[in-house]
Amino acid sequence: MDLDKIEYFFKAAELKNFTKAAKECHIAQTTMSKYIRVLEEELGCPLFVRNHHQAVMTAQGQQFYEGMKPIFEQYQRLCRELVRNREQELRIGMITTDYVDFPILRAFEQEYPQYSLYFSFGSEDRLAEELSAGRLDALICPDILRVDRRIGEKKPVGRVPVLSAEAVLVCSKEVLSRLGSIEKVIESQPLITKTEGSGYHDFCRQELEKIYGVSFSEVITVKGLSQQLLMVNMANGFAVIPRRSRIEAGNLACFPLPDVFDEVSELLYPSENMPEPLERLVQYIHEKKC
């Protein structure tokens, strides 16, 4: 039974005329008649006695009307309540997996307890599609990914930073000792990174050459920070990682990097037709100058 169309029955019962009821419901008279016929077949009993001028309810029709009316009103109230609750929700996709603590989001929830934040995790492609389709309100992702390009040119995208992390270059002390210098490590070992884009690889080549006078040729792409650190610890290459990551310093040599390597996580959102909680969150981030 389609509750969204049960009003057709109510209108026919109240007006006692299918043609007038159809006009009130903005549907064809044939559509009204078909709907009532299907409803009667579904219930297994006649709901109306028809003549040329009126459609009068049967006893079963009257019983169905009196029982269904409060049920439908309760259904409508529930739908309105769900809409109100949805308007107080923020659905945020998380592409980054390195950080589980975003202080600005915790502070926002504490200051605005009327809003509920829900998080989804997944691949860049899937979450970008979810945002584009409106199933997510915003994304949090590293600025280097440029996910906004996947959302489509017809949807203006806003960006605001929510977390910044200093970066360091790390390699195992074993490989550093064996090769004698960090320059030799960069020159002979692969870069182990979570980022698949060649633009980021080229950026690392250029910037490391500016700093150390040498660069790398091979790149190994991994799925996450844990795998990245494991391979570095096993002397399989070097990596550029956020300083705030959990680094097992006992077996790793760390080298500071300039600000250009800092990893910034951004909140990415459609900047038109923003829901009220999202507007408040973006305003809050700007006020805190995160």
Side-chain angles (χ1 to χ4, degrees), residues 58-118:
T58 64
Q60 295 97 327
Q62 186 68 38
Q63 182 181 1
F64 182 69
Y65 178 89
E66 292 174 357
M68 199 65 201
K69 195 72 172 180
I71 292 175
F72 181 67
E73 291 172 354
Q74 184 178 3
Y75 166 74
Q76 288 183 309
R77 286 196 298 271
L78 177 60
C79 289
R80 289 193 294 268
E81 184 178 341
L82 291 173
V83 169
R84 285 196 298 269
N85 290 340
R86 170 64 189 89
E87 290 172 350
Q88 302 300 305
E89 294 177 1
L90 262 177
R91 297 162 299 166
I92 301 176
M94 289 280 198
I95 292 178
T96 178
T97 57
D98 292 351
Y99 311 122
V100 294
D101 183 19
F102 287 85
I104 190 70
L105 299 183
R106 285 192 288 107
F108 177 77
E109 282 190 300
Q110 291 170 0
E111 189 158 338
Y112 297 96
Q114 67 269 34
Y115 300 134
S116 299
L117 273 62
Y118 298 95

Side-chain angles (χ1 to χ4, degrees), residues 15 57 63 82 93 97 169 181 191 202 205 238 249 259-260:
L15 295 177
M57 282 190 293
Q63 182 181 1
L82 291 173
T97 57
L169 187 150
S181 69
L191 171 69
D202 292 339
R205 287 190 180 95
F238 69 95
D259 294 349
V260 70

Side-chain angles (χ1 to χ4, degrees), residues 172-187:
S172 72
K173 292 180 179 179
E174 174 189 342
V175 75
L176 180 63
S177 176
R178 172 162 52 85
L179 295 175
S181 69
I182 188 59
E183 288 81 4
K184 290 293 185 182
V185 172
I186 296 171
E187 192 175 35

Side-chain angles (χ1 to χ4, degrees), residues 114-252:
Q114 67 269 34
Y115 300 134
S116 299
L117 273 62
Y118 298 95
F119 301 97
S120 299
F121 297 85
S123 67
E124 299 171 29
D125 290 338
R126 185 178 71 80
L127 293 182
E129 181 181 345
E130 294 280 303
L131 181 63
S132 182
R135 291 186 290 272
L136 289 175
D137 298 309
L139 288 180
I140 288 180
C141 61
D143 60 339
I144 58 174
L145 295 182
R146 299 313 306 259
V147 177
D148 54 337
R149 295 174 181 172
R150 308 185 187 195
I151 297 174
E153 297 179 357
K154 295 183 180 180
K155 286 195 173 184
V157 175
R159 310 172 71 94
V160 58
V162 292
L163 185 69
S164 180
E166 296 179 2
V168 292
L169 187 150
V170 296
C171 67
S172 72
K173 292 180 179 179
E174 174 189 342
V175 75
L176 180 63
S177 176
R178 172 162 52 85
L179 295 175
S181 69
I182 188 59
E183 288 81 4
K184 290 293 185 182
V185 172
I186 296 171
E187 192 175 35
S188 62
Q189 297 291 300
L191 171 69
I192 301 172
T193 177
K194 307 181 303 297
T195 305
E196 297 180 357
S198 60
Y200 176 70
H201 305 162
D202 292 339
F203 161 80
C204 288
R205 287 190 180 95
Q206 295 166 9
E207 295 301 323
L208 289 178
E209 188 165 9
K210 290 179 185 177
I211 300 168
Y212 295 105
V214 295
S215 191
F216 57 91
S217 57
E218 185 181 357
V219 176
I220 297 176
T221 304
V222 296
K223 294 296 184 182
L225 179 65
S226 297
Q227 187 179 355
Q228 194 177 21
L229 288 175
L230 175 63
M231 294 190 69
V232 172
N233 270 290
M234 297 297 291
N236 290 324
F238 69 95
V240 175
I241 64 174
R243 184 187 295 274
R244 66 191 301 167
S245 302
R246 295 181 178 179
I247 302 172
E248 296 295 336
N251 188 46
L252 291 181

Side-chain angles (χ1 to χ4, degrees), residues 48-62:
F48 294 92
V49 175
R50 304 164 180 79
N51 57 41
H52 294 295
H53 304 290
Q54 283 190 324
V56 180
M57 282 190 293
T58 64
Q60 295 97 327
Q62 186 68 38

Side-chain angles (χ1 to χ4, degrees), residues 234-280:
M234 297 297 291
N236 290 324
F238 69 95
V240 175
I241 64 174
R243 184 187 295 274
R244 66 191 301 167
S245 302
R246 295 181 178 179
I247 302 172
E248 296 295 336
N251 188 46
L252 291 181
C254 301
F255 298 85
L257 290 171
D259 294 349
V260 70
F261 280 95
D262 289 356
E263 183 174 303
V264 178
S265 291
E266 295 181 319
L267 183 78
L268 202 69
Y269 58 92
S271 55
E272 293 182 349
N273 302 317
M274 295 165 59
E276 194 268 339
L278 179 59
E279 288 186 357
R280 187 63 59 87

